[in-house]
PDB file of all heavy atoms in Angstrom:
ATOM      1  N   GLN P  53     -16.426 -14.902  -2.352  1.00 98.00           N
ATOM      2  CA  GLN P  53     -16.200 -13.814  -3.310  1.00 98.00           C
ATOM      3  C   GLN P  53     -17.518 -13.116  -3.617  1.00 98.00           C
ATOM      4  O   GLN P  53     -18.582 -13.732  -3.571  1.00 98.00           O
ATOM      5  CB  GLN P  53     -15.609 -14.388  -4.611  1.00 98.00           C
ATOM      6  CG  GLN P  53     -14.197 -14.915  -4.434  1.00 98.00           C
ATOM      7  CD  GLN P  53     -13.951 -16.144  -5.283  1.00 98.00           C
ATOM      8  OE1 GLN P  53     -14.754 -17.075  -5.288  1.00 98.00           O
ATOM      9  NE2 GLN P  53     -12.831 -16.160  -5.987  1.00 98.00           N
ATOM     10  N   GLY P  54     -17.423 -11.846  -3.943  1.00 98.00           N
ATOM     11  CA  GLY P  54     -18.632 -11.071  -4.230  1.00 98.00           C
ATOM     12  C   GLY P  54     -19.386 -11.654  -5.408  1.00 98.00           C
ATOM     13  O   GLY P  54     -18.790 -12.126  -6.375  1.00 98.00           O
ATOM     14  N   ARG P  55     -20.713 -11.611  -5.314  1.00 98.00           N
ATOM     15  CA  ARG P  55     -21.556 -12.191  -6.364  1.00 98.00           C
ATOM     16  C   ARG P  55     -22.190 -11.112  -7.248  1.00 98.00           C
ATOM     17  O   ARG P  55     -23.043 -11.412  -8.074  1.00 98.00           O
ATOM     18  CB  ARG P  55     -22.678 -13.045  -5.741  1.00 98.00           C
ATOM     19  CG  ARG P  55     -22.242 -14.117  -4.738  1.00 98.00           C
ATOM     20  CD  ARG P  55     -21.208 -15.071  -5.294  1.00 98.00           C
ATOM     21  NE  ARG P  55     -21.135 -16.325  -4.534  1.00 98.00           N
ATOM     22  CZ  ARG P  55     -20.018 -17.042  -4.377  1.00 98.00           C
ATOM     23  NH1 ARG P  55     -18.863 -16.593  -4.881  1.00 98.00           N
ATOM     24  NH2 ARG P  55     -20.042 -18.179  -3.721  1.00 98.00           N
ATOM     25  N   GLY P  56     -21.756  -9.865  -7.043  1.00 96.00           N
ATOM     26  CA  GLY P  56     -22.389  -8.769  -7.797  1.00 96.00           C
ATOM     27  C   GLY P  56     -21.777  -8.559  -9.165  1.00 96.00           C
ATOM     28  O   GLY P  56     -22.353  -7.901 -10.023  1.00 96.00           O
ATOM     29  N   GLY P  57     -20.569  -9.085  -9.367  1.00 94.00           N
ATOM     30  CA  GLY P  57     -19.962  -8.906 -10.686  1.00 94.00           C
ATOM     31  C   GLY P  57     -18.451  -8.995 -10.661  1.00 94.00           C
ATOM     32  O   GLY P  57     -17.838  -9.621 -11.504  1.00 94.00           O
ATOM     33  N   ALA P  58     -17.837  -8.359  -9.655  1.00 94.00           N
ATOM     34  CA  ALA P  58     -16.385  -8.244  -9.687  1.00 94.00           C
ATOM     35  C   ALA P  58     -15.679  -9.373  -8.934  1.00 94.00           C
ATOM     36  O   ALA P  58     -14.469  -9.507  -9.019  1.00 94.00           O
ATOM     37  CB  ALA P  58     -15.957  -6.904  -9.122  1.00 94.00           C
ATOM     38  N   ALA P  59     -16.426 -10.189  -8.209  1.00 96.00           N
ATOM     39  CA  ALA P  59     -15.874 -11.318  -7.462  1.00 96.00           C
ATOM     40  C   ALA P  59     -14.762 -10.897  -6.505  1.00 96.00           C
ATOM     41  O   ALA P  59     -13.779 -11.590  -6.305  1.00 96.00           O
ATOM     42  CB  ALA P  59     -15.371 -12.417  -8.416  1.00 96.00           C
ATOM     43  N   PHE P  60     -14.926  -9.724  -5.916  1.00 97.00           N
ATOM     44  CA  PHE P  60     -13.954  -9.238  -4.939  1.00 97.00           C
ATOM     45  C   PHE P  60     -14.211  -9.938  -3.595  1.00 97.00           C
ATOM     46  O   PHE P  60     -15.365 -10.139  -3.203  1.00 97.00           O
ATOM     47  CB  PHE P  60     -14.105  -7.713  -4.784  1.00 97.00           C
ATOM     48  CG  PHE P  60     -13.039  -7.084  -3.942  1.00 97.00           C
ATOM     49  CD1 PHE P  60     -11.786  -6.805  -4.483  1.00 97.00           C
ATOM     50  CD2 PHE P  60     -13.283  -6.772  -2.604  1.00 97.00           C
ATOM     51  CE1 PHE P  60     -10.799  -6.229  -3.712  1.00 97.00           C
ATOM     52  CE2 PHE P  60     -12.282  -6.198  -1.828  1.00 97.00           C
ATOM     53  CZ  PHE P  60     -11.045  -5.920  -2.379  1.00 97.00           C
ATOM     54  N   VAL P  62     -15.146 -10.857  -0.128  1.00 98.00           N
ATOM     55  CA  VAL P  62     -15.997 -10.137   0.823  1.00 98.00           C
ATOM     56  C   VAL P  62     -15.224  -9.798   2.099  1.00 98.00           C
ATOM     57  O   VAL P  62     -15.278  -8.684   2.605  1.00 98.00           O
ATOM     58  CB  VAL P  62     -17.263 -10.971   1.141  1.00 98.00           C
ATOM     59  CG1 VAL P  62     -18.081 -10.332   2.252  1.00 98.00           C
ATOM     60  CG2 VAL P  62     -18.101 -11.156  -0.121  1.00 98.00           C
ATOM     61  N   LYS P  65     -12.907  -6.844   1.805  1.00 98.00           N
ATOM     62  CA  LYS P  65     -13.631  -5.566   1.825  1.00 98.00           C
ATOM     63  C   LYS P  65     -13.974  -5.192   3.267  1.00 98.00           C
ATOM     64  O   LYS P  65     -13.772  -4.065   3.696  1.00 98.00           O
ATOM     65  CB  LYS P  65     -14.903  -5.690   0.981  1.00 98.00           C
ATOM     66  CG  LYS P  65     -15.606  -4.361   0.727  1.00 98.00           C
ATOM     67  CD  LYS P  65     -16.931  -4.529  -0.028  1.00 98.00           C
ATOM     68  CE  LYS P  65     -16.750  -4.769  -1.510  1.00 98.00           C
ATOM     69  NZ  LYS P  65     -18.050  -4.744  -2.246  1.00 98.00           N
ATOM     70  N   ASN P  82     -26.952  -4.630  -2.038  1.00 98.00           N
ATOM     71  CA  ASN P  82     -27.219  -4.158  -3.385  1.00 98.00           C
ATOM     72  C   ASN P  82     -28.211  -5.103  -4.052  1.00 98.00           C
ATOM     73  O   ASN P  82     -27.864  -6.196  -4.466  1.00 98.00           O
ATOM     74  CB  ASN P  82     -25.905  -4.092  -4.165  1.00 98.00           C
ATOM     75  CG  ASN P  82     -26.058  -3.453  -5.522  1.00 98.00           C
ATOM     76  OD1 ASN P  82     -27.167  -3.290  -6.018  1.00 98.00           O
ATOM     77  ND2 ASN P  82     -24.936  -3.080  -6.116  1.00 98.00           N
ATOM     78  N   ALA P  83     -29.475  -4.657  -4.078  1.00 98.00           N
ATOM     79  CA  ALA P  83     -30.534  -5.460  -4.697  1.00 98.00           C
ATOM     80  C   ALA P  83     -31.053  -4.742  -5.934  1.00 98.00           C
ATOM     81  O   ALA P  83     -32.220  -4.845  -6.286  1.00 98.00           O
ATOM     82  CB  ALA P  83     -31.664  -5.711  -3.693  1.00 98.00           C
ATOM     83  N   ASP P  84     -30.164  -4.014  -6.589  1.00 98.00           N
ATOM     84  CA  ASP P  84     -30.602  -3.250  -7.757  1.00 98.00           C
ATOM     85  C   ASP P  84     -30.753  -4.156  -8.983  1.00 98.00           C
ATOM     86  O   ASP P  84     -31.543  -3.877  -9.871  1.00 98.00           O
ATOM     87  CB  ASP P  84     -29.614  -2.125  -8.059  1.00 98.00           C
ATOM     88  CG  ASP P  84     -30.223  -1.097  -8.993  1.00 98.00           C
ATOM     89  OD1 ASP P  84     -31.328  -0.621  -8.670  1.00 98.00           O
ATOM     90  OD2 ASP P  84     -29.628  -0.789 -10.035  1.00 98.00           O
ATOM     91  N   GLU P  85     -29.976  -5.198  -9.011  1.00 98.00           N
ATOM     92  CA  GLU P  85     -30.039  -6.230 -10.054  1.00 98.00           C
ATOM     93  C   GLU P  85     -30.459  -5.692 -11.427  1.00 98.00           C
ATOM     94  O   GLU P  85     -31.538  -6.000 -11.928  1.00 98.00           O
ATOM     95  CB  GLU P  85     -30.965  -7.372  -9.637  1.00 98.00           C
ATOM     96  CG  GLU P  85     -30.803  -8.568 -10.569  1.00 98.00           C
ATOM     97  CD  GLU P  85     -31.039  -9.905  -9.870  1.00 98.00           C
ATOM     98  OE1 GLU P  85     -32.187 -10.191  -9.508  1.00 98.00           O
ATOM     99  OE2 GLU P  85     -30.059 -10.653  -9.674  1.00 98.00           O
ATOM    100  N   GLY P  86     -29.560  -4.872 -11.992  1.00 95.00           N
ATOM    101  CA  GLY P  86     -29.901  -4.253 -13.263  1.00 95.00           C
ATOM    102  C   GLY P  86     -29.189  -4.853 -14.453  1.00 95.00           C
ATOM    103  O   GLY P  86     -29.503  -4.548 -15.602  1.00 95.00           O
ATOM    104  N   GLU P  87     -28.221  -5.720 -14.218  1.00 95.00           N
ATOM    105  CA  GLU P  87     -27.429  -6.284 -15.312  1.00 95.00           C
ATOM    106  C   GLU P  87     -28.330  -7.125 -16.218  1.00 95.00           C
ATOM    107  O   GLU P  87     -28.988  -8.042 -15.731  1.00 95.00           O
ATOM    108  CB  GLU P  87     -26.303  -7.133 -14.711  1.00 95.00           C
ATOM    109  CG  GLU P  87     -25.363  -7.749 -15.705  1.00 95.00           C
ATOM    110  CD  GLU P  87     -24.445  -6.742 -16.389  1.00 95.00           C
ATOM    111  OE1 GLU P  87     -24.140  -5.704 -15.771  1.00 95.00           O
ATOM    112  OE2 GLU P  87     -24.061  -7.004 -17.539  1.00 95.00           O
ATOM    113  N   ASP P  93     -30.877 -12.499  -7.805  1.00 98.00           N
ATOM    114  CA  ASP P  93     -31.153 -11.901  -6.483  1.00 98.00           C
ATOM    115  C   ASP P  93     -32.660 -11.875  -6.231  1.00 98.00           C
ATOM    116  O   ASP P  93     -33.119 -11.989  -5.099  1.00 98.00           O
ATOM    117  CB  ASP P  93     -30.591 -10.476  -6.413  1.00 98.00           C
ATOM    118  CG  ASP P  93     -29.074 -10.458  -6.475  1.00 98.00           C
ATOM    119  OD1 ASP P  93     -28.459 -11.489  -6.143  1.00 98.00           O
ATOM    120  OD2 ASP P  93     -28.506  -9.422  -6.865  1.00 98.00           O
ATOM    121  N   TYR P 170     -29.799   1.649 -14.322  1.00 97.00           N
ATOM    122  CA  TYR P 170     -28.826   0.554 -14.231  1.00 97.00           C
ATOM    123  C   TYR P 170     -27.616   0.993 -13.426  1.00 97.00           C
ATOM    124  O   TYR P 170     -27.083   0.256 -12.593  1.00 97.00           O
ATOM    125  CB  TYR P 170     -28.432   0.161 -15.655  1.00 97.00           C
ATOM    126  CG  TYR P 170     -27.236  -0.749 -15.791  1.00 97.00           C
ATOM    127  CD1 TYR P 170     -27.175  -1.975 -15.137  1.00 97.00           C
ATOM    128  CD2 TYR P 170     -26.184  -0.395 -16.632  1.00 97.00           C
ATOM    129  CE1 TYR P 170     -26.085  -2.819 -15.306  1.00 97.00           C
ATOM    130  CE2 TYR P 170     -25.096  -1.228 -16.804  1.00 97.00           C
ATOM    131  CZ  TYR P 170     -25.045  -2.441 -16.133  1.00 97.00           C
ATOM    132  OH  TYR P 170     -23.968  -3.257 -16.314  1.00 97.00           O
ATOM    133  N   VAL P 171     -27.168   2.229 -13.659  1.00 97.00           N
ATOM    134  CA  VAL P 171     -25.931   2.701 -13.060  1.00 97.00           C
ATOM    135  C   VAL P 171     -26.069   2.851 -11.542  1.00 97.00           C
ATOM    136  O   VAL P 171     -25.084   2.871 -10.813  1.00 97.00           O
ATOM    137  CB  VAL P 171     -25.466   4.010 -13.734  1.00 97.00           C
ATOM    138  CG1 VAL P 171     -26.273   5.204 -13.234  1.00 97.00           C
ATOM    139  CG2 VAL P 171     -23.979   4.232 -13.545  1.00 97.00           C
ATOM    140  N   ALA P 172     -27.287   2.918 -11.040  1.00 97.00           N
ATOM    141  CA  ALA P 172     -27.484   2.988  -9.595  1.00 97.00           C
ATOM    142  C   ALA P 172     -27.192   1.647  -8.938  1.00 97.00           C
ATOM    143  O   ALA P 172     -27.212   1.529  -7.717  1.00 97.00           O
ATOM    144  CB  ALA P 172     -28.888   3.465  -9.258  1.00 97.00           C
ATOM    145  N   GLY P 173     -26.898   0.621  -9.727  1.00 97.00           N
ATOM    146  CA  GLY P 173     -26.448  -0.648  -9.161  1.00 97.00           C
ATOM    147  C   GLY P 173     -24.958  -0.646  -8.906  1.00 97.00           C
ATOM    148  O   GLY P 173     -24.443  -1.452  -8.135  1.00 97.00           O
ATOM    149  N   GLU P 174     -24.248   0.268  -9.549  1.00 98.00           N
ATOM    150  CA  GLU P 174     -22.818   0.431  -9.277  1.00 98.00           C
ATOM    151  C   GLU P 174     -22.718   0.988  -7.871  1.00 98.00           C
ATOM    152  O   GLU P 174     -23.430   1.935  -7.508  1.00 98.00           O
ATOM    153  CB  GLU P 174     -22.197   1.373 -10.314  1.00 98.00           C
ATOM    154  CG  GLU P 174     -20.687   1.355 -10.358  1.00 98.00           C
ATOM    155  CD  GLU P 174     -20.030   2.199  -9.298  1.00 98.00           C
ATOM    156  OE1 GLU P 174     -20.681   3.142  -8.789  1.00 98.00           O
ATOM    157  OE2 GLU P 174     -18.878   1.927  -8.945  1.00 98.00           O
ATOM    158  N   ALA P 175     -21.826   0.420  -7.073  1.00 98.00           N
ATOM    159  CA  ALA P 175     -21.878   0.670  -5.628  1.00 98.00           C
ATOM    160  C   ALA P 175     -21.889   2.160  -5.258  1.00 98.00           C
ATOM    161  O   ALA P 175     -22.658   2.591  -4.405  1.00 98.00           O
ATOM    162  CB  ALA P 175     -20.712  -0.040  -4.953  1.00 98.00           C
ATOM    163  N   SER P 176     -21.056   2.969  -5.915  1.00 98.00           N
ATOM    164  CA  SER P 176     -21.002   4.380  -5.518  1.00 98.00           C
ATOM    165  C   SER P 176     -22.155   5.174  -6.107  1.00 98.00           C
ATOM    166  O   SER P 176     -22.661   6.110  -5.485  1.00 98.00           O
ATOM    167  CB  SER P 176     -19.655   4.989  -5.931  1.00 98.00           C
ATOM    168  OG  SER P 176     -19.516   4.981  -7.336  1.00 98.00           O
ATOM    169  N   ARG P 192     -12.788   6.849  -7.384  1.00 96.00           N
ATOM    170  CA  ARG P 192     -11.983   6.308  -6.268  1.00 96.00           C
ATOM    171  C   ARG P 192     -10.554   6.764  -6.528  1.00 96.00           C
ATOM    172  O   ARG P 192     -10.153   6.745  -7.699  1.00 96.00           O
ATOM    173  CB  ARG P 192     -12.003   4.799  -6.194  1.00 96.00           C
ATOM    174  CG  ARG P 192     -13.307   4.075  -6.502  1.00 96.00           C
ATOM    175  CD  ARG P 192     -14.480   4.404  -5.642  1.00 96.00           C
ATOM    176  NE  ARG P 192     -15.467   3.325  -5.685  1.00 96.00           N
ATOM    177  CZ  ARG P 192     -16.416   3.182  -6.619  1.00 96.00           C
ATOM    178  NH1 ARG P 192     -16.514   4.043  -7.604  1.00 96.00           N
ATOM    179  NH2 ARG P 192     -17.272   2.179  -6.560  1.00 96.00           N
ATOM    180  N   VAL P 208     -20.784  -2.145   0.719  1.00 98.00           N
ATOM    181  CA  VAL P 208     -21.855  -2.483  -0.216  1.00 98.00           C
ATOM    182  C   VAL P 208     -21.588  -3.895  -0.706  1.00 98.00           C
ATOM    183  O   VAL P 208     -20.511  -4.173  -1.229  1.00 98.00           O
ATOM    184  CB  VAL P 208     -21.881  -1.531  -1.428  1.00 98.00           C
ATOM    185  CG1 VAL P 208     -23.008  -1.922  -2.386  1.00 98.00           C
ATOM    186  CG2 VAL P 208     -22.029  -0.088  -0.992  1.00 98.00           C
ATOM    187  N   ASN P 209     -22.539  -4.780  -0.474  1.00 98.00           N
ATOM    188  CA  ASN P 209     -22.407  -6.147  -0.992  1.00 98.00           C
ATOM    189  C   ASN P 209     -23.673  -6.537  -1.728  1.00 98.00           C
ATOM    190  O   ASN P 209     -24.776  -6.072  -1.409  1.00 98.00           O
ATOM    191  CB  ASN P 209     -22.156  -7.155   0.147  1.00 98.00           C
ATOM    192  CG  ASN P 209     -20.693  -7.316   0.491  1.00 98.00           C
ATOM    193  OD1 ASN P 209     -20.293  -7.234   1.656  1.00 98.00           O
ATOM    194  ND2 ASN P 209     -19.874  -7.538  -0.516  1.00 98.00           N
ATOM    195  N   ASN P 210     -23.481  -7.409  -2.664  1.00 98.00           N
ATOM    196  CA  ASN P 210     -24.591  -7.966  -3.424  1.00 98.00           C
ATOM    197  C   ASN P 210     -25.472  -8.838  -2.517  1.00 98.00           C
ATOM    198  O   ASN P 210     -25.005  -9.411  -1.529  1.00 98.00           O
ATOM    199  CB  ASN P 210     -23.987  -8.790  -4.565  1.00 98.00           C
ATOM    200  CG  ASN P 210     -25.032  -9.584  -5.290  1.00 98.00           C
ATOM    201  OD1 ASN P 210     -25.200 -10.774  -5.050  1.00 98.00           O
ATOM    202  ND2 ASN P 210     -25.750  -8.922  -6.167  1.00 98.00           N
ATOM    203  N   VAL P 211     -26.745  -8.924  -2.863  1.00 98.00           N
ATOM    204  CA  VAL P 211     -27.709  -9.709  -2.089  1.00 98.00           C
ATOM    205  C   VAL P 211     -27.227 -11.149  -1.902  1.00 98.00           C
ATOM    206  O   VAL P 211     -27.248 -11.696  -0.797  1.00 98.00           O
ATOM    207  CB  VAL P 211     -29.085  -9.704  -2.806  1.00 98.00           C
ATOM    208  CG1 VAL P 211     -29.999 -10.795  -2.255  1.00 98.00           C
ATOM    209  CG2 VAL P 211     -29.741  -8.337  -2.672  1.00 98.00           C
ATOM    210  N   SER P 213     -24.146 -12.359  -2.239  1.00 98.00           N
ATOM    211  CA  SER P 213     -22.928 -12.432  -1.423  1.00 98.00           C
ATOM    212  C   SER P 213     -23.310 -12.476   0.045  1.00 98.00           C
ATOM    213  O   SER P 213     -22.846 -13.335   0.805  1.00 98.00           O
ATOM    214  CB  SER P 213     -22.032 -11.201  -1.641  1.00 98.00           C
ATOM    215  OG  SER P 213     -21.965 -10.830  -2.977  1.00 98.00           O
ATOM    216  N   LEU P 214     -24.183 -11.535   0.444  1.00 98.00           N
ATOM    217  CA  LEU P 214     -24.572 -11.456   1.850  1.00 98.00           C
ATOM    218  C   LEU P 214     -25.319 -12.716   2.291  1.00 98.00           C
ATOM    219  O   LEU P 214     -25.135 -13.201   3.406  1.00 98.00           O
ATOM    220  CB  LEU P 214     -25.433 -10.212   2.087  1.00 98.00           C
ATOM    221  CG  LEU P 214     -24.677  -8.884   2.056  1.00 98.00           C
ATOM    222  CD1 LEU P 214     -25.662  -7.715   2.061  1.00 98.00           C
ATOM    223  CD2 LEU P 214     -23.730  -8.783   3.252  1.00 98.00           C
ATOM    224  N   CYS P 390     -16.868   4.829 -13.657  1.00 98.00           N
ATOM    225  CA  CYS P 390     -17.357   3.524 -13.189  1.00 98.00           C
ATOM    226  C   CYS P 390     -17.183   2.499 -14.287  1.00 98.00           C
ATOM    227  O   CYS P 390     -16.707   2.787 -15.370  1.00 98.00           O
ATOM    228  CB  CYS P 390     -18.810   3.623 -12.726  1.00 98.00           C
ATOM    229  SG  CYS P 390     -20.027   3.424 -14.036  1.00 98.00           S
ATOM    230  N   GLY P 391     -17.608   1.281 -14.016  1.00 97.00           N
ATOM    231  CA  GLY P 391     -17.394   0.183 -14.948  1.00 97.00           C
ATOM    232  C   GLY P 391     -18.338   0.171 -16.132  1.00 97.00           C
ATOM    233  O   GLY P 391     -18.183  -0.658 -17.029  1.00 97.00           O
ATOM    234  N   LEU P 392     -19.314   1.068 -16.173  1.00 97.00           N
ATOM    235  CA  LEU P 392     -20.290   0.980 -17.259  1.00 97.00           C
ATOM    236  C   LEU P 392     -19.645   1.259 -18.614  1.00 97.00           C
ATOM    237  O   LEU P 392     -19.894   0.573 -19.597  1.00 97.00           O
ATOM    238  CB  LEU P 392     -21.460   1.932 -17.008  1.00 97.00           C
ATOM    239  CG  LEU P 392     -22.684   1.744 -17.914  1.00 97.00           C
ATOM    240  CD1 LEU P 392     -23.965   2.102 -17.180  1.00 97.00           C
ATOM    241  CD2 LEU P 392     -22.609   2.552 -19.201  1.00 97.00           C
TER     242      LEU P 392
HETATM  243  C1  LIG B 501     -22.698  -0.369 -14.205  1.00 94.54           C
HETATM  244  C2  LIG B 501     -22.674  -1.293 -13.041  1.00 94.54           C
HETATM  245  C3  LIG B 501     -23.851  -1.831 -12.556  1.00 94.54           C
HETATM  246  C4  LIG B 501     -23.840  -2.681 -11.453  1.00 94.54           C
HETATM  247  N1  LIG B 501     -25.015  -3.194 -11.033  1.00 94.54           N
HETATM  248  C5  LIG B 501     -25.012  -4.039  -9.971  1.00 94.54           C
HETATM  249  C6  LIG B 501     -26.210  -4.599  -9.495  1.00 94.54           C
HETATM  250  O1  LIG B 501     -27.281  -4.373 -10.055  1.00 94.54           O
HETATM  251  N2  LIG B 501     -26.169  -5.426  -8.406  1.00 94.54           N
HETATM  252  C7  LIG B 501     -24.981  -5.685  -7.775  1.00 94.54           C
HETATM  253  O2  LIG B 501     -24.997  -6.422  -6.794  1.00 94.54           O
HETATM  254  N3  LIG B 501     -23.823  -5.174  -8.199  1.00 94.54           N
HETATM  255  C8  LIG B 501     -23.807  -4.346  -9.285  1.00 94.54           C
HETATM  256  N4  LIG B 501     -22.624  -3.817  -9.689  1.00 94.54           N
HETATM  257  C9  LIG B 501     -21.402  -4.119  -8.926  1.00 94.54           C
HETATM  258  C10 LIG B 501     -21.280  -3.183  -7.751  1.00 94.54           C
HETATM  259  O3  LIG B 501     -20.595  -2.025  -8.156  1.00 94.54           O
HETATM  260  C11 LIG B 501     -20.496  -3.748  -6.591  1.00 94.54           C
HETATM  261  O4  LIG B 501     -19.279  -4.194  -7.070  1.00 94.54           O
HETATM  262  C12 LIG B 501     -21.191  -4.869  -5.897  1.00 94.54           C
HETATM  263  O5  LIG B 501     -22.467  -4.505  -5.478  1.00 94.54           O
HETATM  264  C13 LIG B 501     -20.356  -5.273  -4.720  1.00 94.54           C
HETATM  265  O6  LIG B 501     -20.918  -6.410  -4.130  1.00 94.54           O
HETATM  266  P1  LIG B 501     -20.134  -7.783  -4.058  1.00 94.54           P
HETATM  267  O7  LIG B 501     -18.696  -7.491  -3.755  1.00 94.54           O
HETATM  268  O8  LIG B 501     -20.829  -8.493  -2.966  1.00 94.54           O
HETATM  269  O9  LIG B 501     -20.295  -8.425  -5.384  1.00 94.54           O
HETATM  270  C14 LIG B 501     -22.630  -2.982 -10.822  1.00 94.54           C
HETATM  271  C15 LIG B 501     -21.452  -2.438 -11.302  1.00 94.54           C
HETATM  272  C16 LIG B 501     -21.460  -1.618 -12.400  1.00 94.54           C
HETATM  273  C17 LIG B 501     -20.178  -1.046 -12.898  1.00 94.54           C
END
Side-chain angles (χ1 to χ4, degrees):
Chain P
Q53 292 144 312
R55 307 305 200 212
F60 188 80
V62 173
K65 190 184 282 188
N82 187 345
D84 196 52
E85 192 149 69
E87 182 71 28
D93 294 337
Y170 168 56
V171 78
E174 195 279 337
S176 64
R192 322 300 202 275
V208 180
N209 273 130
N210 171 260
V211 165
S213 319
L214 287 170
C390 86
L392 192 148

